[in-house]
C-alpha cells in the first residue's frame, strides 16, 4: 500500500473514530483544560496582584530615583526647607510627600458600588514641586511637566470640568482633595461633592475640588485609588503636623553624595537618610515573594494530579482503538505513521484543551484574585486589584503546560501501540502483561526518586525552590509504587470481598471485582495514583493548616496576656499609623480595677545588619512589666530571668524568630538602627517565637525607645486588671464588664475596646480568611482526580463490554452489575484512601518543617488529627464511588447481544 494511501486511511479512521465518540473528545479536552486552568488561575491572580502593586508604586513614585526618609515620626519638614535653599540643582527636582490611607464612611457614596468601607490612599503633595517628579496633579491648574521649565511655575491649563479656581481651593480650603475621573466614576460622585472618611485623627469630611487628568499611563493607574491633597491638609488628617513621610528626588549621576552630605551628622532636624527608591519597592515586593511562590507550588501539585488525568483521558482514546490500530498495522501502516498520528492527535486535543484551560483559568483567576488580594492586605500591605492581567508569558505558560503535558502523556501508549507486533496489539492482555512486568521497575524508580528527595532535603541550603523540588520528587516517588500497591491490595482483598459478597447474596461478584482491579492495572493503577496524590494533597495541606492553627492558638493564649485591649478605631484604615490621645492612657491608669497598663507602638526604622546593607525593620516599642513579659515564648537556650533584666535595663532588644531566620541572627548579635541621633548598635538579647508576620520584628522596651527616638505616641494599650476580691469571679465576664465600662467612659466612637476573648477570635478569623485560598486548591485537586477516576472507569466499561455481555447472558442482573462496578470503585477508593494517608502525612511534615520554615521562618507544632485522616479516607471512597456511577449505569444497561457482537 502506497504511503499516501496509508496516511489517508489512517487519518480517515482516526477522524471517524473521534466523530463517533464526541463525548470522549470533550472529556479529553476538559481533562487538559482543568489541569491547565488551576495553574493558570493562580498564576494570573499572582501576576495581577503583583502588577497592581508595581503600577501603584511606580505610578506614585513617578520619575523619582531616590527618596529621603526619617525616623518613626517621619521626616522633619525642615529637611525639605534646607534642601530647597541649599543651591543644589537637585533641589529643583524634589517633591515633599505625606502618604497615608483613609476609609470611606457610610453616608458618602451610594452602596451600589460597594464604596462605603473602601480604603483609599491619601497623598499630600506640593503642586508646584510635583511636575518634576509626577504627572498626578495635571488638571489642578498647577505647573505640568511641559511648563516645569518656566522659572516662575505659571498656571497650566485647568482640566475639563475644573474651574479656574481649582488650584486656589486646593491650597486654601482645608479638606480639599482632587481625584481622577475613574475614581469619581467608581464612587458615583462629581467635583464639588463631599466624602466622609475615617482618618488617623478621626472622622473628617473631604470636598472634591478638582478632577485629576494625568497623561502618563502609570500615573493614571495609580490615581484610580488615590485622593490627592496639599501637604498641610494631609498632615492634619494623618496626625503628622510638621512632618513628612518622605521627599522624592530625581537625581542625576553623582548628585546623591552631595544631597546626603546636607544632613550627615546633623541631629538638629532629626534623622534623615537618602536611599534609592528601587530598594524600597524591592523590599516590599520581597515581602510577598514567598506567599506567591507557595501558591504557585500548591497549584502545581494540582497539576501533578492533572497530569495523571491527562494520561488517563488521552490513553482512553488509544486503548479504545487498539484493535483498529492492530488491523491497520496488519494492512501495512508503519509504526512511525501510527506514532505520528497518535502524537498529532494528542497535540490537537492538548492545544484545544490548553485554550479552554486558558479561558477557564481567566475565570478562575477572577474568583481567586479577591482571596489573594485579601491575604496580601491582611498580612503585608494594602493593594487594590480590580483587573486580571493576561500577560503573554502566562499565555505561553498555559500552552506549554497543556500541549507539553498532553504530548508527554500520549507518548507511552503511542509507543506501546507501535512497538508491539500487530497481533499483540489486538490483545488487551498484552498491555496488562507488560504493565505487571513494569511494576518492579516502577518500584525501583520510586525508591531512587525517594533517595533523590532525601538528598535535596539534606543539602545545606535555605532555597525554597529546592524544598519544593523535594516535595514534587516525593510525590512522584510515591506515585511510582502505587500500581504495585494496588495490585497487591486487590489480590489481598479478593478473599474478604468474596466472603462479603456471599453475605450480601452477590455470590462471587466480590472476588470478581477485586480480580478485575488487579487484572486491569494499566488503567486502575494510573487512576488510583491520581486519586492518591489528590487526596494526599488535601491531607498534607489540611494537616499543615491544622498544625499552624493549633500553634497560633497556643501562641495567642500565651501572648495575649492583657485582659482588655484599647486601640484607635482608625487602625482599620491600613497604613494610617493611628495614635491614642494621652488622656486615654491617663484615664485608664486612674481606674482602681486596673493593675498595670502596657503600651504599644509600631514603627519602621532603617536597619543595617552586618554587610547585608540597609533594610526597613519593624520596631515594636512596648512598656512591659514582669507578667506582660511572660507572654513571650523564648527560643530554647536563653535564660528568661537574665533576658528580662537586660530588657528592663535597656541593654538590648528581642528579635522574632522570622526576623532572626531571615537575617541569620542569634542572641548576642547586634543590629544597627537609625535613631534620631544617628545609627546606633543594639544587641539581640534573645529570640522569641512569633507568628504575627513572616517579615519579622524587633521588640524594644519603651524606656529605651524614648531614649533614642523623639516619639511619644502610643498606638494601643494592654490593660491588666487587678486581682478580684472574689476568687471565684469569671475572668472573661469581668473583662467584658470592664471593656463595656471603658466604652461608656471613653469616646467609644473613636476607640476600639476589645476584651481578650474578642481580640483572640478576631485574630483567628484573619487566619482562617488567609488560608481560604488553600481550601479552594484542595477542592480543585479532588475535582481533577474525580474526573480521572471517571475516565478510567469509562475506559474499563468500554474494554469490558464483551465480558459484561457474557455475564449478562449467563444470568447476571443489572443490579448485580451495579454491585460489581460498585465493588471495584469502592476497592479503588479504599486503596487510594489508605495509600493517601502516609503520603499526606509525609507531605504535611515537609510543608510544616521545611516549606514553612524556609518561606516564613516559623517553627510550627506538628499535629495530625485522626479525624482528618478519616475524612481523607471518606473523600477517596466518595470520589471513587461517584466516579463509577455513570460507567455502572452504562454497564448495567448494556444489551448482551450487542456486547457479544464483533465489530
Amino acid at each position: 500500500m502506497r504511503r499516501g494511501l496509508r496516511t489517508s486511511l489512517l487519518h480517515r479512521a482516526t477522524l471517524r473514530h473521534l466523530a463517533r465518540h464526541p463525548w470522549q473528545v470533550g472529556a479529553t479536552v476538559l481533562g487538559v483544560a482543568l489541569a491547565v486552568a488551576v495553574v493558570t488561575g493562580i498564576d494570573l491572580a499572582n501576576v495581577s496582584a503583583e502588577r497592581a502593586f508595581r503600577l501603584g508604586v511606580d505610578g506614585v513614585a513617578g520619575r523619582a530615583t531616590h527618596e529621603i526618609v526619617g525616623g518613626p515620626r517621619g521626616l522633619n519638614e525642615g529637611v525639605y526647607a534646607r534642601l530647597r535653599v541649599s543651591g543644589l540643582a537637585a533641589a529643583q527636582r524634589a517633591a515633599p510627600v505625606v502618604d497615608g490611607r483613609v476609609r470611606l464612611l457610610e453616608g458618602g457614596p451610594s452602596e451600589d458600588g460597594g464604596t462605603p468601607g473602601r480604603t483609599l490612599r491619601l497623598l499630600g503633595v506640593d503642586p508646584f514641586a510635583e511636575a518634576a517628579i509626577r504627572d498626578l496633579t495635571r488638571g489642578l491648574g498647577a505647573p505640568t511637566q511641559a511648563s516645569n521649565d518656566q522659572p516662575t511655575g505659571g498656571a497650566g491649563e485647568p482640566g475639563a470640568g475644573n474651574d479656574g479656581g481649582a488650584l486656589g481651593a486646593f491650597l486654601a480650603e482645608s479638606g480639599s482633595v482632587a481625584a481622577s475621573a475613574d475614581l469619581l466614576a467608581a464612587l458615583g460622585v462629581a467635583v464639588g461633592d463631599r466624602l466622609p472618611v475615617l482618618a488617623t485623627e478621626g472622622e473628617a469630611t473631604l470636598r472634591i475640588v478638582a478632577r485629576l487628568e494625568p497623561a502618563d499611563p502609570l500615573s493614571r493607574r495609580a490615581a484610580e485609588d488615590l485622593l490627592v491633597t496639599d501637604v498641610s491638609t494631609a498632615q492634619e488628617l494623618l496626625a503628622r503636623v510638621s512632618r513628612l513621610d518622605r521627599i522624592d528626588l530625581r537625581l542625576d549621576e553623582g548628585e546623591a553624595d552631595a544631597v546626603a552630605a546636607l544632613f550627615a551628622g546633623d541631629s538638629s532636624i532629626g534623622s534623615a537618610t537618602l536611599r534609592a527608591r528601587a530598594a524600597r519597592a524591592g523590599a516590599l515586593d520581597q515581602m510577598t515573594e514567598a506567599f506567591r511562590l507557595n501558591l504557585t507550588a500548591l497549584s502545581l501539585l494540582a497539576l501533578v494530579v492533572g497530569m495523571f488525568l491527562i494520561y488517563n483521558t488521552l490513553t482512553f482514546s488509544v486503548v479504545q482503538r487498539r484493535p483498529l490500530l492492530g488491523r491497520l498495522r496488519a494492512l501495512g501502516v508503519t509504526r512511525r505513521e501510527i506514532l505520528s498520528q497518535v502524537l498529532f492527535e494528542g497535540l490537537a486535543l492538548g492545544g484545544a484543551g490548553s485554550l479552554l484551560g486558558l479561558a477557564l483559568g481567566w475565570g478562575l483567576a477572577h474568583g481567586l484574585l479577591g482571596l489573594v488580594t485579601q491575604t496580601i492586605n491582611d498580612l503585608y500591605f494594602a493593594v487594590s486589584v480590580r483587573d486580571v492581567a493576561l500577560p503573554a508569558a502566562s499565555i505561553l505558560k498555559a500552552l506549554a503546560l497543556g500541549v507539553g503535558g498532553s504530548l508527554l502523556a500520549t507518548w507511552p501508549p503511542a509507543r506501546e501501540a507501535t512497538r508491539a507486533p500487530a497481533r499483540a496489539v489486538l490483545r488487551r492482555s498484552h498491555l496488562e502483561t507488560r504493565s505487571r512486568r513494569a511494576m518492579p521497575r516502577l518500584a525501583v524508580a520510586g525508591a531512587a526518586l525517594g533517595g533523590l528527595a532525601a538528598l535535596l532535603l539534606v543539602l545545606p541550603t535555605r532555597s525554597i525552590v529546592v524544598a519544593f523540588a523535594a516535595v514534587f520528587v516525593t510525590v512522584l516517588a510515591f506515585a511510582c509504587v502505587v500500581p504495585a500497591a494496588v495490585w497487591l491490595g486487590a489480590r489481598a482483598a479478593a478473599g474478604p470481598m468474596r466472603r462479603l459478597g456471599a453475605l450480601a447474596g452477590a455470590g462471587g461478584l466480590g472476588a470478581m471485582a477485586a480480580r478485575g482491579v488487579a487484572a486491569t492495572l494499566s488503567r486502575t493503577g494510573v487512576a488510583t495514583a491520581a486519586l492518591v496524590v489528590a487526596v494526599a494533597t488535601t491531607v498534607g495541606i489540611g494537616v499543615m493548616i491544622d498544625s499552624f492553627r493549633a500553634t497560633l492558638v497556643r501562641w495567642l493564649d500565651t501572648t495575649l496576656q492583657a485582659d482588655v485591649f484599647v486601640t484607635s478605631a482608625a487602625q482599620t484604615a491600613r497604613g494610617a499609623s493611628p495614635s491614642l490621645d494621652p488622656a486615654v492612657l491617663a484615664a485608664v491608669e486612674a481606674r482602681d480595677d486596673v493593675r498595670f497598663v502596657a503600651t504599644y507602638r509600631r514603627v519602621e526604622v532603617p536597619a543595617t545588619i552586618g554587610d547585608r546593607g540597609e533594610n526597613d525593620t519593624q520596631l515594636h516599642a512596648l512598656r512591659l512589666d514582669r507578667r506582660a513579659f511572660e507572654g513571650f515564648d523564648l527560643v530554647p537556650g536563653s535564660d528568661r530571668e537574665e533576658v528580662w533584666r537586660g530588657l528592663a535595663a535597656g541593654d538590648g532588644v528581642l528579635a522574632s524568630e522570622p526576623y532572626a531566620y531571615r537575617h541569620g541572627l542569634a542572641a548576642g548579635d547586634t543590629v544597627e538602627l537609625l535613631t534620631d541621633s544617628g545609627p546606633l548598635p543594639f544587641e539581640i538579647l534573645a529570640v522569641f517565637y512569633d507568628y504575627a508576620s513572616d517579615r519579622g520584628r524587633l521588640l524594644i522596651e519603651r524606656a529605651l525607645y524614648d531614649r533614642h527616638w523623639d516619639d511619644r505616641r502610643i498606638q494601643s494599650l494592654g490593660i491588666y486588671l487587678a486581682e478580684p476580691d472574689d476568687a471565684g469571679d469569671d475572668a472573661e465576664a469581668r473583662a467584658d464588664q470592664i471593656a463595656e465600662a471603658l466604652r461608656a467612659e471613653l469616646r467609644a466612637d473613636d476607640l476600639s475596646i476589645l476584651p481578650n476573648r474578642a481580640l483572640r477570635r478576631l485574630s483567628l478569623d484573619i487566619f482562617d480568611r488567609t488560608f481560604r485560598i488553600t481550601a479552594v486548591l484542595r477542592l480543585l485537586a479532588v475535582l481533577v482526580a474525580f474526573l480521572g477516576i471517571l475516565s478510567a472507569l469509562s475506559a474499563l466499561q468500554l474494554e469490558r463490554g464483551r465480558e459484561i455481555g457474557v455475564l449478562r447472558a449467563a444470568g447476571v442482573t443489572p443490579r448485580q452489575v451495579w454491585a460489581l462496578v460498585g465493588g471495584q470503585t469502592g476497592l479503588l477508593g479504599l486503596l487510594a484512601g489508605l495509600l493517601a494517608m502516609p503520603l499526606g502525612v509525609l507531605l504535611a511534615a515537609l510543608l510544616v518543617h521545611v516549606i514553612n520554615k524556609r518561606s516564613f521562618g516559623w517553627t510550627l507544632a506538628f499535629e495530625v488529627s485522626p479525624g482528618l485522616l478519616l475524612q481523607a479516607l471518606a473523600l477517596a471512597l466518595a470520589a471513587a464511588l461517584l466516579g463509577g456511577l455513570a460507567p455502572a449505569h452504562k454497564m448495567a444497561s448494556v444489551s448482551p447481544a450487542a456486547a457479544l457482537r464483533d465489530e
Side-chain angles (χ1 to χ4, degrees), residues 732-789:
E732 290 187 350
R734 189 161 170 262
D736 291 340
Q737 293 171 2
I738 298 299
E740 194 62 36
L742 287 174
R743 293 189 192 101
E745 180 181 346
L746 304 171
R747 291 189 304 161
D749 56 338
D750 291 332
L751 299 173
S752 173
I753 303 175
L754 296 174
N756 182 294
R757 178 174 50 186
L759 183 59
R760 182 176 178 275
R761 184 169 58 247
L762 178 62
S763 300
L764 291 176
D765 288 343
I766 293 175
F767 172 87
D768 293 336
R769 189 167 63 214
T770 299
F771 280 94
R772 197 171 295 157
I773 189 170
T774 60
V776 174
L777 292 179
R778 291 166 68 186
L779 290 176
L780 289 173
V782 173
L783 175 61
V784 172
F786 166 75
L787 290 177
I789 287 287

Side-chain angles (χ1 to χ4, degrees), residues 95-267:
V97 176
V98 178
D99 196 351
R101 291 190 176 270
V102 296
R103 194 181 72 224
L104 297 179
L105 295 176
E106 300 286 348
S110 66
E111 295 189 25
D112 294 340
T115 51
R118 179 175 175 180
T119 298
L120 298 174
R121 193 171 185 176
L122 182 71
L123 199 70
V125 301
D126 176 359
F128 295 101
E130 276 294 289
I133 302 295
R134 279 171 287 268
D135 189 35
L136 287 173
T137 54
R138 184 184 295 271
L140 277 175
T144 63
Q145 177 65 14
S147 63
N148 193 45
D149 296 333
Q150 299 173 3
T152 58
E157 294 185 7
N162 297 331
D163 57 45
L167 181 60
F170 183 83
L171 294 173
E173 297 180 15
S174 178
S176 297
V177 297
S180 68
D182 290 336
L183 180 57
L184 294 179
L187 299 180
V189 296
V191 173
D193 289 346
R194 297 183 180 274
L195 292 175
V197 299
L198 177 64
T200 307
E201 284 293 271
E203 295 185 11
T205 301
L206 307 180
R207 189 171 82 89
I208 303 171
V209 299
R211 186 172 69 234
L212 301 176
E213 297 178 340
D216 177 61
L218 281 178
S219 297
R220 283 201 305 271
R221 174 62 181 83
E224 292 177 1
D225 286 286
L226 191 67
L227 295 175
V228 176
T229 186
D230 70 291
V231 168
S232 61
T233 296
Q235 288 173 330
E236 293 175 6
L237 292 171
L238 302 174
R240 299 174 195 174
V241 176
S242 301
R243 316 297 295 185
L244 303 172
D245 279 283
R246 66 179 187 273
I247 299 171
D248 288 337
L249 302 100
R250 194 178 85 242
L251 301 183
D252 295 332
E253 187 175 353
E255 291 184 321
D257 291 340
V259 172
L262 287 175
F263 322 108
D266 187 354
S267 61

Side-chain angles (χ1 to χ4, degrees), residues 819-845:
L820 175 64
V821 178
Q824 278 196 344
T825 56
L827 180 58
L828 286 175
L830 178 63
L831 293 174
L834 293 175
L835 292 171
M837 288 182 185
L839 177 58
V841 172
L842 180 58
L843 286 179

